[in-house]
Amino acid sequence: MPDIERLVNDFVAKLSKRKVEGSQATSRLTAELLRSVVSLQRLPPTNSAAVLIEAVRGIGVKLVAANPVELAVGNIVRRVLHIIREEDLSLLTSKTSDLDLSAASDDERTIDQDYDPTQSAAAAAAKSFLRPPSLHALLENMLDKAVPTNNYTSSSGGDTEEKSKADKLARTRKLKHDVIEAINILIEDIDTCHELIAEQAVEHIHQNEVILTLGSSRTAFEFLCAAKEKKRSFHVVVAEGAPRYQGHALAKELVSRGLQTIVVTDSAVFAMISRVNMVIVGVHAVMANGGVIAPVGMNMVALAAQKHAVPFVVVAGIHKLCPSYPHNPEVCLNDMRSPAELLEFGLFSNCMEFGMDSGAPLQVVNPGFDYVAPELVSLLITDM
């Protein structure tokens, strides 16, 4: 059976080397890893929830540090920590309610026995025999009168201790089981987020509308295709999303599903926006203030939409909802990608040599994301 440390190190290596792309894939793999951690983690009979929380929190710190830009990792770690606390609280609540019910039933039995005079004396004698000595009796050195009570208490105490230990072990196993089941539900929610969001498409996309989108987003793709399946006829304008040109792949997929699609350059967005009825885009993350982190070029689209009073609609699963604010120091809003996406390697090397000779070296900056302020977002559609 693989150990926890090896599983964590393997996933950390994948995150740091950017071998996992996409918030959904990253969220699913993170949840699966934490499920394995919960399953393999050895827990003590007492304070099992605290030990489990500490283990998950420590692993979460490593995962977030491996790729700070992928905010979905921290989101899933927080969700799992919340699950552990909720399940532990649920077990405590159920235990307390069981104790209250047993106490109430004991009171009812006591009241019923008071109505039977033939059993009251025997019950009182039994209770006095089973009752441990009082503090007053201990202080008055009257233990010699309570020898039968002490004998019963010692044997009963051993049984009670064993029963208490067994109850704690059972509670620890129940906590693990419940947490794993809740994480399984979380993974299922991540897998089905696109379908749940797409079910709302018919409420927002109407006949003969023109929709603009940027880059490639599976959530936006499923959203548009769901409207098409509901017999809505509309046009989609796809901005190509330079320099990675992911819009080209999205346009091909839309055409294969029968949608009327137009591809434009990113610089043509302002020229096309006056003919557009709505902008529908997928994003990388949704911040606590309502702003979004999206592929580069998205802020230009949002500004154009605001200028022409076009609704700017964001579709995102709840695994992309981040409780942090963009001004928090631990939040990394951008990722500098390879200059090779802008300039071919041969051309880039020639420019570098020319720059070094002239004393003004060429610098290539290739940011991966834009931050879109909350006042530019008209509507957020999630799977909640």
Side-chain angles (χ1 to χ4, degrees):
M1 180 179 293
D3 60 331
I4 296 176
E5 186 175 358
R6 186 169 68 84
L7 291 174
V8 173
N9 290 336
D10 290 345
F11 190 56
V12 166
K14 291 181 180 179
L15 288 175
S16 59
K17 296 177 181 179
R18 305 299 197 268
K19 291 185 177 181
V20 183
E21 288 192 1
S23 298
Q24 186 189 28
T26 305
S27 299
R28 179 181 174 81
L29 291 176
T30 303
E32 290 177 349
L33 173 66
L34 295 180
R35 181 180 60 185
S36 300
V37 169
V38 173
S39 177
L40 299 175
Q41 182 70 35
R42 293 184 178 181
L43 301 178
T46 58
N47 297 328
S48 54
V51 173
L52 191 57
I53 288 173
E54 191 63 28
V56 172
R57 183 183 288 116
I59 292 172
V61 170
K62 294 181 180 179
L63 298 182
V64 172
N67 189 357
V69 179
E70 195 58 72
L71 300 178
V73 174
N75 298 341
I76 297 301
V77 172
R78 296 184 190 95
R79 288 283 298 275
V80 172
L81 291 173
H82 177 72
I83 286 172
I84 296 173
R85 296 188 184 97
E86 286 293 312
E87 296 299 334
D88 182 53
L89 180 61
S90 177
L91 289 176
L92 289 175
T93 305
S94 62
K95 183 178 179 181
T96 304
S97 62
D98 291 342
L99 290 175
D100 293 341
L101 290 175
S102 62
S105 61
D106 290 342
D107 293 340
E108 291 177 358
R109 284 196 297 268
T110 302
I111 293 173
D112 293 339
Q113 289 176 358
D114 290 341
Y115 288 102
D116 192 350
T118 60
Q119 296 180 359
S120 60
K127 287 183 179 180
S128 63
F129 179 75
L130 296 176
R131 186 182 299 115
S134 64
L135 180 61
H136 177 73
L138 292 173
L139 293 176
E140 293 294 333
N141 295 323
M142 297 178 64
L143 293 177
D144 55 330
K145 297 183 181 180
V147 173
T149 306
N150 286 338
N151 291 338
Y152 179 81
T153 304
S154 61
S155 61
S156 176
D159 295 340
T160 303
E161 184 177 355
E162 292 179 0
K163 185 176 183 301
S164 175
K165 186 176 181 180
D167 290 342
K168 291 178 180 179
L169 291 175
R171 184 179 179 276
T172 300
R173 289 193 294 267
K174 183 72 165 56
L175 175 65
K176 263 193 175 185
H177 175 269
D178 292 347
V179 170
I180 291 174
E181 287 298 319
I183 295 177
N184 288 335
I185 295 174
L186 174 61
I187 294 174
E188 184 179 354
D189 292 341
I190 295 173
D191 291 337
T192 60
C193 69
H194 301 307
E195 290 77 8
L196 295 176
I197 294 174
E199 291 177 357
Q200 309 174 52
V202 69
E203 302 175 6
H204 301 280
I205 299 178
H206 305 94
Q207 192 74 9
N208 298 325
E209 285 190 334
V210 178
I211 309 298
L212 185 137
T213 188
L214 172 71
S216 179
S217 167
R218 185 186 168 190
T219 311
F221 170 74
E222 296 291 344
F223 194 82
L224 296 171
C225 291
K228 171 65 176 178
E229 293 173 358
K230 297 296 184 180
K231 308 302 180 182
R232 295 290 168 85
S233 177
F234 56 94
H235 289 76
V236 181
V237 178
V238 181
E240 59 185 359
R244 304 181 74 183
Y245 301 106
Q246 294 179 333
H248 295 174
L250 176 63
K252 292 179 181 179
E253 293 178 351
L254 291 173
V255 171
S256 66
R257 297 288 287 270
L259 279 81
Q260 306 176 66
T261 307
I262 303 171
V263 178
V264 299
T265 61
D266 298 341
S267 56
V269 168
F270 258 101
M272 296 291 297
I273 196 69
S274 60
R275 306 179 185 180
V276 171
N277 300 105
M278 184 183 302
V279 176
I280 299 178
V281 295
V283 297
H284 180 69
V286 181
M287 308 307 293
N289 65 339
V292 297
I293 300 176
V296 65
M298 195 68 74
N299 191 52
M300 175 190 65
V301 176
L303 290 172
Q306 184 190 48
K307 183 69 174 179
H308 291 268
V310 175
F312 185 86
V313 179
V314 172
V315 289
I318 58 174
H319 59 275
K320 295 185 179 182
L321 303 184
C322 181
S324 301
Y325 289 86
H327 58 266
N328 288 1
E330 69 273 9
V331 176
C332 185
L333 290 179
N334 224 320
D335 186 22
M336 296 302 171
R337 301 187 182 274
S338 171
E341 294 180 351
L342 297 178
L343 298 175
E344 295 181 1
F345 179 74
L347 180 61
F348 179 69
S349 60
N350 294 336
C351 292
M352 288 293 293
E353 293 175 0
F354 178 79
M356 294 298 293
D357 295 338
S358 64
L362 174 67
Q363 296 184 359
V364 179
V365 179
N366 183 20
F369 300 105
D370 259 349
Y371 173 69
V372 180
E375 56 267 16
L376 300 178
V377 178
S378 306
L379 179 65
L380 173 63
I381 302 176
T382 70
D383 53 330
M384 294 181 65

